[in-house]
Amino acid sequence: MDIFFIAHLQQQPPITYPGQVNLDIRISKSDWVEKILPNLKYKEVSLIEVPKIENPEFSVVAKIDDAWKMYSMGEYGKVLTECRKALEAFVTILKEKGLQKEIIEKEGKKWYQIEKR
C-alpha cells in the first residue's frame, strides 16, 4: 500500500513537506470480502472455499474454477455451461463408484438416488 501525504507545519514561515509511506500489509480474504469491499461500495460478493483435490478423478473442482473465471469475465452463458459440466463430471464419478441408483416408479417416472455409505 502506498500512502501519499502533505504535511503542513504551522510555524512562521509555514512549511509544507510532501511525503510517502510504503506499507507491506496482508489482508485476509474474509476481511477483504466481508469488510473492505462493502465499505468501498463494491458489488455484493461472497467468499466460497472449496478444497483443491489433486486427484484427476475430481475434475469437478476444475470445472467450478472455470465457471468462476467465466463469471468474472462476464461470460454468463459459459458459466452455466461450466456448471453443467461440473455436475455431469460429478454424476459420472457417482456412477463409476456405484453410489447412484436408478429409481423407476409405477407411473414410469425415472429419477436417481445417491446411496449413503
Side-chain angles (χ1 to χ4, degrees), residues 98-110:
L99 297 174
Q100 181 187 46
K101 69 177 186 178
E102 186 176 75
I103 307 291
I104 301 175
E105 295 180 356
K106 294 177 191 174
E107 302 84 25
K109 183 178 177 183
K110 186 184 345 180

Side-chain angles (χ1 to χ4, degrees), residues 50-68:
V50 178
K52 290 190 176 184
I53 303 171
E54 298 299 327
N55 188 332
E57 181 178 75
F58 288 97
S59 62
V60 175
V61 176
K63 298 295 181 197
I64 292 172
D65 287 343
D66 291 342
W68 276 112

Side-chain angles (χ1 to χ4, degrees), residues 54-102:
E54 298 299 327
N55 188 332
E57 181 178 75
F58 288 97
S59 62
V60 175
V61 176
K63 298 295 181 197
I64 292 172
D65 287 343
D66 291 342
W68 276 112
K69 288 175 191 171
M70 294 296 119
Y71 181 80
S72 67
M73 294 188 307
E75 298 286 342
Y76 303 115
K78 292 180 181 177
V79 172
L80 295 176
T81 301
E82 293 303 322
C83 288
R84 181 185 47 78
K85 288 179 184 177
L87 288 172
E88 288 173 354
F90 187 64
V91 168
T92 300
I93 292 167
L94 292 175
K95 285 180 182 177
E96 289 172 355
K97 298 289 183 185
L99 297 174
Q100 181 187 46
K101 69 177 186 178
E102 186 176 75

Side-chain angles (χ1 to χ4, degrees), residues 23-74:
L23 300 175
D24 185 23
I25 61 172
R26 291 185 55 87
I27 300 172
S28 68
K29 292 177 186 176
S30 57
D31 284 345
W32 182 256
V33 170
E34 296 169 3
K35 296 176 183 174
I36 296 172
L37 289 178
N39 287 329
L40 295 174
K41 305 295 185 224
Y42 193 74
K43 62 183 176 183
E44 186 176 335
V45 295
S46 297
L47 178 64
I48 300 173
E49 294 188 19
V50 178
K52 290 190 176 184
I53 303 171
E54 298 299 327
N55 188 332
E57 181 178 75
F58 288 97
S59 62
V60 175
V61 176
K63 298 295 181 197
I64 292 172
D65 287 343
D66 291 342
W68 276 112
K69 288 175 191 171
M70 294 296 119
Y71 181 80
S72 67
M73 294 188 307

